[in-house]
């Protein structure tokens, strides 16, 4: 999914927090965990518990419920195109244990047709994705120009300046070039899922 590299203004609250209703598509790279839109409920629950051990059970449940509701909104009628590139480490890291992870990988193989998942294999060596996660949002022209989004321990950053978007788009292009094809990615995901089930 190509990105138009022009930024102006700041996206509205609905665009940022209910982006499934506002965007025409999104391209995302995740080096460590499954993207939130693609997580199963069990995986999301296990991840929420480990990301912030100080959360109460009720707070964890609330976070998971919000995530699941967001998925429902995004993948409702007329969903946007979603392209997610994962590092192979995402497949190998057993969030929640083998059973939860096997179910999560199976879920990645059963996503809607408008969701493309690719994997960057360990064998590919170094690539720009080692710098961290990145998401590029596409909006209808009358709504907003593209926005980049980076989440880190230091906080969340929105990229809207033209030079920032150009750099982010270039990084995403290089990440995509390092990834396996759609079919090769599916085969790798299926292979890791089988390994988990057989252990």
């Amino acid at each position: 999914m190509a990105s138009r590299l022009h930024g102006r203004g700041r996206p509205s609250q609905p665009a940022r927090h209910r982006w499934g209703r506002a965007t025409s598509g999104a391209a995302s790279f995740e080096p460590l965990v499954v993207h939130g839109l693609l997580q199963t409920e069990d995986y999301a629950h296990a991840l929420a518990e480990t990301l912030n051990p100080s959360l109460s059970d009720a707070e964890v449940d609330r976070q998971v419920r919000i995530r699941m509701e967001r998925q429902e909104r995004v993948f409702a009628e007329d969903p946007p195109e979603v392209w997610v590139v994962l590092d192979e480490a995402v497949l190998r890291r057993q969030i929640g244990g083998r059973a939860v992870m096997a179910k999560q990988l199976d879920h990645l193989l059963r996503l809607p047709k408008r969701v493309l998942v690719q994997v960057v294999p360990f064998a590919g060596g170094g690539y720009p994705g080692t710098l961290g996660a990145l998401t590029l949002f596409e909006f209808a022209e009358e709504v907003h120009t593209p926005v980049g989004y980076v989440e880190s321990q230091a906080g969340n950053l929105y990229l809207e300046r033209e030079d920032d978007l150009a750099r982010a788009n270039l990084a995403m292009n290089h990440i995509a070039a390092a990834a396996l094809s759609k079919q090769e990615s599916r085969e790798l995901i299926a292979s890791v899922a089988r390994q988990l089930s057989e252990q």
Side-chain angles (χ1 to χ4, degrees), residues 7-194:
R8 60 176 182 273
R10 186 164 186 77
S12 65
Q13 289 291 336
R16 297 208 304 271
H17 298 295
R18 293 197 298 272
W19 67 266
R21 295 182 180 180
T23 67
S24 58
S28 183
F29 168 71
E30 289 287 349
L32 299 174
V33 299
V34 174
H35 191 282
L37 285 176
L38 312 184
Q39 292 174 8
T40 63
E41 186 169 349
D42 289 341
Y43 183 99
H45 197 279
L47 185 62
E49 288 181 323
T50 56
L51 286 179
N52 190 347
S54 66
L55 291 179
S56 67
D57 291 344
E59 290 171 323
V60 169
D61 290 342
R62 178 177 178 276
Q63 283 195 6
V64 173
R65 184 174 65 255
I66 290 173
R67 175 148 295 177
M68 295 300 104
E69 290 173 351
R70 182 178 299 127
Q71 288 184 15
E72 290 181 4
R73 289 197 302 270
V74 170
F75 295 125
E77 295 182 11
D78 193 26
E81 292 185 0
V82 178
W83 172 36
V84 177
V85 182
L86 305 174
D87 190 278
E88 185 175 345
V90 175
L91 313 182
R92 304 286 182 179
R93 178 167 290 101
Q94 296 180 18
I95 303 295
R98 291 196 303 271
V100 169
M101 197 65 210
K103 183 179 178 182
Q104 172 64 70
L105 296 184
D106 183 66
H107 179 68
L108 294 180
L109 299 173
R110 301 172 183 272
L111 293 167
K113 292 182 178 180
R114 291 178 69 85
V115 180
L116 170 62
V117 178
Q118 291 178 267
V119 180
V120 178
F122 286 151
Y127 67 109
T130 56
L131 290 176
L134 171 66
T135 297
L136 298 173
F137 295 109
E138 288 278 0
F139 300 87
E141 292 185 3
E142 66 273 15
V143 175
H144 202 275
T145 50
V147 175
Y149 175 72
V150 177
E151 185 176 346
S152 71
Q153 296 282 2
N156 303 333
L157 177 65
Y158 291 92
L159 307 176
E160 301 176 71
R161 293 185 350 189
E162 187 168 343
D163 56 340
D164 290 335
L165 286 169
R167 186 171 59 253
N169 193 65
L170 179 61
M172 196 67 196
N173 287 341
H174 281 284
I175 290 169
L180 299 172
S181 68
K182 176 182 178 180
Q183 184 57 38
E184 291 170 332
S185 296
R186 287 181 62 85
E187 291 171 359
L188 178 56
I189 294 170
S191 174
V192 177
R194 285 195 301 271

